Structures are given as C-alpha cells and as structure tokens.
Amino acid sequence: MSWTDWILDQDKRELLTWFGFGVAVLAGGFWKYYTWKHPTHKDRKPTATPLSMQFETIHPSKKTFNLYGTGYNLNTLPADSSEVLSLLMQQVGKLQSTDKQQQFPSENPQRQAQLQDLSERLLQAKSNSSAGKALKWLQLGDLKPTADYLREVARRSRVAGDTVSAKSVARNAKAARAMRHLASISTTVDAVQVLQQATEYEPDYALNWWLLGDLQRQAGNLAQAEQAYRTMLRLTVAASEAQPSDSGLQRDLSEAHYKIGDIQLAQGDRAGTLLSYRASHAIFERLAQPDVENTSWQCELSASHNKIGNLLQAQGDLAGALQAYRADLTITERLVQYDAVNVVWQRNLSVAHINIGDILHALGDSAGALMSYRTSLTIRERLAQQDATNTQWQRDLSVSDDNIGNILQEQGDQAGALLFYRAALSIRERLVQQDAANTQWQRDLSVSNEKVGDILQAQGDRAGALRCYRADLAIAERLAQLDAANVQWQTDVVVSCVKLSSLRGQGVSDQEAQGYLQRALELAERLQAAGKLNAQQQGWVEALRKKLAEINAK
C-alpha cells in the first residue's frame, strides 16, 4: 500500500488525527513546564500584596507618605510585595512630597486597596497594549501614561444617558472606579476635578462623595466638602435603612456625622458640631455596648468620648468634658487589661490621664491633676524606654514633664519644677538635633527655654535666665520668619522680647531692653490691626507702650 493510499484510508486518518493530538498535548505540556521553570522577564509577574497591612508607627521621613488617610513606609514592605505596587507607591510618594496640600486625614479600608486594585488591573490587562505601555512607563517613573490609560478606561466604559439598565450601571461604575484610581495618583487640585467626574458617573456610590469631601476639605473648600459629606450621609442612611444589621454601614454612617461635625467646627459652629458628634457617638454606643469583646468598636467609642470631651472643654463645659474623658479612660483601661503589650492602647491610656489632669487643673484640683499627670508619666517613661528611637513617645514624655513642672511651680516647689522642666528641655534638644526642620519640635524647645528661664530668674540666677531667654527668642524669631501668617509664632516673639526686657539692669542694658520692647510693640500693633489678638492679648499694645515710656522717661 502506497503512503497516499495509507493516508486516504479512513481508519488510518483517524489514527493519525489522534496521534497528532497526542503529540500536540505533549509538546504543549512540555513547553508549559519549561516556561514555568524558566520564565522570561516578560512572563515574570509580581504578586500583589494587599495594602491592608498595618504600619504601627509612621515617622516623618522622605520614604513615608500618606495616601487617602493611610501612611505608607517603603522601608517596611515585605519581601514578597508587588514590584508594581512598590513602584507606584514610590511615584505617588514623590508626587505628594512636592504637593504639600496632599494630605487625607480620614481612614477607610476601601481606600487602602485602591493602589493594589490599580496594580492588579494593569497586570490582568497584559493583552491590552495600552495597559502594557502604561505599566512599562510606570516602572520608568512616569505617571502620565498610567493616567492616560485610566482616562481611556473611563471614556470607553462611560455610558451617557442610560443610567437605569444593569449593564449601564456596571459600566459607569467601572468608569468611576478608574477615576478614583486616577485621583490617587493626582495632585489635590486635579484629584478634586477627577472625583467630581466620578460622582457624575456613579452618583449613588457613597465612597465617591466621601473621597470628594476629603479632597475639598483639604483644598480649603469647606462648603463644598460639607455638601459632599451630606450627600454621603444621605446615601449611607438609605443603605443602612435597607440593611439595618450591617455594622459596616452603621460605622460609615457614624463617620459621615463625624466628618460633617469636623466641617462645622472649622466653620465655628460649635453647637452644630456637638450635635453631629453626638449623633455619631450614639451609633458607636449601639455597636459597642452589646459587644464589649469587640476591641475595634470599643476603640471607636473611646475615640468618640475623647472627641466630645475636647469640644466641651473648648466650650468651657469642664464638668461635661471631665465626664467624657473619664468614660474614655474607663474603656481604654479595659482595652489595656485585655492586651497589656499593645503600645497604641498604652499611649491612648497616657493621653486619657493627661486630659483628665488638664480638666482637674482648670477646676483648681492641683493635687488630682498632679496624680493624673504622674500616672501618665509612668506610662510614657515605660514606652520611651522600650524604643528610644520613637520620636512621638519621646515628645510625649517631654509633655508630661512639662505638665508636672507646671503644677509644682504653682505649688511653690521651684526646685522640683526646674528638675522636670530641664528633663523636658533635654529631650527636646535631642529631638531638634535629629530633625532641625521640624517646627513643632523647635517651638517645644523654645517653650522649654522660656520655662527654665522663668525658674532661674525666680531663683536669682539672672545669667542662666538670660541664656535661656536668648535661646528662646532666637528660635521664636526663626519660626516667625518662616511664616508671617502664623499668629502663634508671631505672638511667641512678643512674649520672648518681653521676657528679655524683664532682665533690664540684670544683664540687659536700657538700650537693649528698649529694643526688645520696640520689637514687641511693632508686632503687637500689627497683629491688633489685623484683628489677630485674642481677648487676653488685647491689652498688650497699651502695656508695651507704658513700658517703653518708662524707659524713655529715664
């Protein structure tokens, strides 16, 4: 039989077909095994790691940044983190380091997943050439192609007109999601416009309004932020009424009330703020009271008590503030008993004692205040010893030293007060040496020099007081030059100049004292003309003029 006859035979052709199929399967399996064992650079895909990982301590450094309320530190990423995710985080960090307004204070787990979601979508779209190019340019540090890709996704997905059919709703949701991703790699001003588009594409999705409200608030647009938050509240109320047992929706509802309250507080509406805060608090009480073992709800309830206490204290309702702070303390003590090694709860406990001490001090109970301050100090000393590199804990310790020093000074214990003031001064000097650009630490150091100077002057050590006051003024002047609009820094210079003038004839000449008072008067007059002096400071200008007149008369 010739080979042509063999091939034409029906039985032989079926055999040949099965043989060819077997060879193809074997070859395909071999190739799959080979490429699995020896992947090319093109085939190597990073494995995405969820961004829900928690970073307990956020340090202000070039490699740490905030994105939608979540802090990220590139140094703490686990080894198996996505290469693309790391690259994107780096680029967003660089972008935000040049955009000082890009800060998002609110916390939402859904936002934490945005970068991961974006990375996964780029990786999954490997057959899409535009997505591949966007990923390539992202790896090279260029965000523009990625932004262009997201805009194209939104353009293709967007369905205008039809907002009812399930298909249109899904496509518009995809377009809105692309806009949210785009906002995450945009500056504040651009992100506001991008998220406004997202709300147009998907107007019934509360997260769009949540994010837009945060951005409007950060941009200083309080009225627009409140409008966005109220829309978020309306949508969340409707969703929670449809699903009353959904605790997540209840939490979102409480968060909406809080955000509106924060806007009202910024607008000076303290009465409205209190109503919003208490509406949020009522929700947390319903969530937390039936489930005392749920530490998450207990933490939220504790924070709510603290926030209401702060507001009542600002309104002068010290009794109400004390009640709120003590409720906060009770919950925090229970949390610490549940987990004594949780340093975040330990720090919260120290803050609760400080808050109670402040109220007792204001009510005239110096003994009770001192007891609260010493309890807080004990906790903070323990934390500071655990990690000497944690600058927040070190600063906390200096604040506790200051608080105790203030009480001791009022009680007439100058030596004891000086001991604590110098302890605070020592800590703050070390902090400033670590980061001289940190203006908060600089001002802390200025205040410590002033406090130590006051004690030394009272003890008759004029030379020591002069050194401290001059160090205080040098820092205050530097800060005032950094920001002429910062009223606190400007008034600090006034106070420092007056302190130095008080040493007239005791290391400070009449001419020097005159110069200090003239500098203080010029600043005070400018602040008064601008309406920046508070009620307690209104008499400054007249008092300074009298002091100058006394020197000139001689």
Side-chain angles (χ1 to χ4, degrees):
M1 178 184 294
S2 65
W3 68 272
T4 53
D5 294 333
W6 189 87
I7 291 178
L8 292 174
D9 187 295
Q10 181 67 29
D11 294 335
K12 303 299 189 295
R13 280 191 294 177
E14 290 182 2
L15 177 63
L16 186 61
T17 299
W18 283 108
F19 177 80
F21 178 76
V23 171
V25 170
L26 290 173
F30 174 80
W31 179 250
K32 185 68 177 178
Y33 175 81
Y34 179 83
T35 55
W36 175 68
K37 292 294 289 183
H38 306 282
T40 64
H41 177 73
K42 180 179 179 181
D43 293 328
R44 291 192 181 102
K45 295 198 301 183
T47 302
T49 299
L51 282 184
S52 57
M53 61 184 78
Q54 298 180 4
F55 302 101
E56 294 293 340
T57 304
I58 305 299
H59 293 288
S61 66
K62 292 182 179 179
K63 292 190 176 182
T64 303
F65 61 94
N66 291 326
L67 179 65
Y68 282 136
T70 303
Y72 297 107
N73 190 324
L74 300 177
N75 295 325
T76 59
L77 287 172
D80 62 346
S81 289
S82 165
E83 177 187 357
V84 176
L85 185 58
S86 299
L87 284 166
L88 186 57
M89 290 171 68
Q90 291 174 28
Q91 293 310 313
V92 173
K94 291 175 183 176
L95 179 66
Q96 293 187 329
S97 67
T98 60
D99 180 12
K100 301 303 183 184
Q101 292 184 332
Q102 189 86 351
Q103 301 289 335
F104 302 96
S106 58
E107 298 178 358
N108 182 354
Q110 294 183 38
R111 303 181 199 184
Q112 298 180 15
Q114 285 192 354
L115 283 181
Q116 178 199 355
D117 197 10
L118 171 58
S119 300
E120 289 175 348
R121 290 182 179 279
L122 288 174
L123 290 172
Q124 291 169 1
K126 66 177 182 178
S127 60
N128 186 314
S129 60
S130 61
K133 289 179 180 178
L135 181 56
K136 177 181 178 181
W137 283 106
L138 180 62
Q139 292 170 334
L140 295 176
D142 188 353
L143 291 178
K144 186 178 182 303
T146 304
D148 291 342
Y149 168 68
L150 290 170
R151 288 191 182 94
E152 179 63 17
V153 170
R155 188 192 66 79
R156 292 198 312 267
S157 303
R158 170 73 167 134
V159 178
D162 180 8
T163 59
V164 178
S165 68
K167 183 178 180 180
S168 296
V169 170
R171 290 186 61 179
N172 286 331
K174 181 178 180 181
R177 183 169 57 247
M179 289 293 97
R180 291 196 298 273
H181 292 325
L182 179 58
S184 71
I185 58 174
S186 302
T187 57
T188 302
V189 175
D190 292 338
V192 167
Q193 297 177 352
V194 168
L195 280 173
Q196 283 174 336
Q197 286 183 280
T199 61
E200 294 172 7
Y201 297 163
E202 196 178 20
D204 294 333
Y205 190 40
L207 177 60
N208 291 330
W209 297 100
W210 182 325
L211 299 179
L212 179 60
D214 287 352
L215 283 166
Q216 293 282 24
R217 179 185 177 186
Q218 194 57 45
N221 305 323
L222 297 183
Q224 292 88 332
E226 182 178 5
Q227 182 181 3
Y229 288 147
R230 288 195 180 280
T231 304
M232 167 194 170
L233 175 62
R234 175 177 57 79
L235 294 171
T236 309
V237 166
S240 62
E241 287 177 350
Q243 303 177 64
S245 62
D246 190 324
S247 58
L249 284 174
Q250 291 295 319
R251 187 196 180 283
D252 289 347
L253 186 59
S254 69
E255 187 70 20
H257 283 296
Y258 260 152
K259 287 181 177 294
I260 293 172
D262 288 342
I263 295 296
Q264 292 170 319
L265 183 60
Q267 293 173 331
D269 182 8
R270 289 183 174 176
T273 301
L274 187 58
L275 288 175
S276 294
Y277 283 175
R278 281 180 167 160
S280 176
H281 182 80
I283 296 172
F284 277 130
E285 280 190 322
R286 288 198 302 270
L287 290 171
Q289 286 180 351
D291 189 3
V292 294
E293 298 298 323
N294 188 320
T295 57
S296 177
W297 296 137
Q298 295 300 318
C299 285
E300 297 279 12
L301 184 58
S302 168
S304 179
H305 281 300
N306 181 70
K307 206 161 189 175
I308 291 175
N310 292 342
L311 182 60
L312 292 175
Q313 183 180 13
Q315 291 180 326
D317 184 359
L318 299 183
L322 184 59
Q323 183 179 6
Y325 287 148
R326 280 178 168 161
D328 173 25
L329 176 64
T330 299
I331 297 171
T332 309
E333 285 179 331
R334 190 164 60 241
L335 288 170
V336 169
Q337 290 174 357
Y338 178 81
D339 184 1
V341 298
N342 188 311
V343 293
V344 174
W345 295 348
Q346 288 283 347
R347 182 179 183 273
N348 290 345
L349 183 60
S350 77
V351 172
H353 283 293
I354 288 285
N355 288 337
I356 291 173
D358 289 345
I359 298 298
L360 293 176
H361 187 198
L363 290 171
D365 184 0
S366 296
L370 185 59
M371 183 179 300
S372 293
Y373 289 153
R374 288 191 183 278
T375 303
S376 177
L377 178 67
T378 300
I379 299 169
R380 292 179 169 185
E381 284 178 332
R382 188 166 59 245
L383 289 173
Q385 289 171 0
Q386 288 181 30
D387 184 2
T389 65
N390 189 311
T391 55
Q392 179 63 65
W393 294 351
Q394 295 297 321
R395 182 181 183 274
D396 286 348
L397 184 57
S398 74
V399 171
S400 288
D401 285 327
D402 253 5
N403 289 333
I404 294 175
N406 293 340
I407 297 293
L408 294 177
Q409 184 182 25
E410 291 175 6
Q411 293 177 341
D413 184 358
Q414 301 287 351
L418 183 59
L419 183 66
F420 282 97
Y421 284 155
R422 278 181 165 159
L425 177 65
S426 178
I427 294 172
R428 290 167 177 177
E429 285 176 335
R430 290 197 303 271
L431 289 174
V432 168
Q433 288 175 358
Q434 291 180 43
D435 185 3
N438 189 310
T439 56
Q440 183 184 52
W441 295 351
Q442 288 281 354
R443 186 177 186 277
D444 287 346
L445 182 57
S446 173
V447 170
S448 281
N449 275 300
E450 179 188 326
K451 289 179 180 292
V452 172
D454 288 345
I455 297 293
L456 293 177
Q457 184 178 18
Q459 292 180 335
D461 184 356
R462 308 291 190 267
L466 183 58
R467 285 193 301 273
C468 288
Y469 287 157
R470 282 176 172 164
D472 168 28
L473 178 61
I475 298 171
E477 288 281 17
R478 284 198 302 272
L479 291 176
Q481 290 173 5
L482 284 176
D483 186 0
N486 189 310
V487 176
Q488 185 178 58
W489 292 352
Q490 303 299 317
T491 56
D492 283 349
V493 174
V494 175
V495 173
S496 298
C497 286
V498 172
K499 294 283 185 181
L500 279 164
S501 71
S502 69
L503 291 175
R504 173 182 161 221
Q506 304 173 38
V508 174
S509 66
D510 286 356
Q511 185 177 3
E512 287 175 322
Q514 186 180 34
Y516 290 133
L517 289 174
Q518 188 61 46
R519 167 69 171 146
L521 178 60
E522 290 172 357
L523 275 174
E525 286 177 333
R526 188 167 71 241
L527 291 169
Q528 187 177 58
K532 300 298 184 181
L533 294 181
N534 61 36
Q536 295 178 335
Q537 299 166 343
Q538 288 299 317
W540 279 10
V541 171
E542 184 180 353
L544 288 168
R545 286 173 179 167
K546 286 183 179 179
K547 286 181 178 293
L548 271 171
E550 292 174 4
I551 296 178
N552 293 332
K554 296 183 179 180

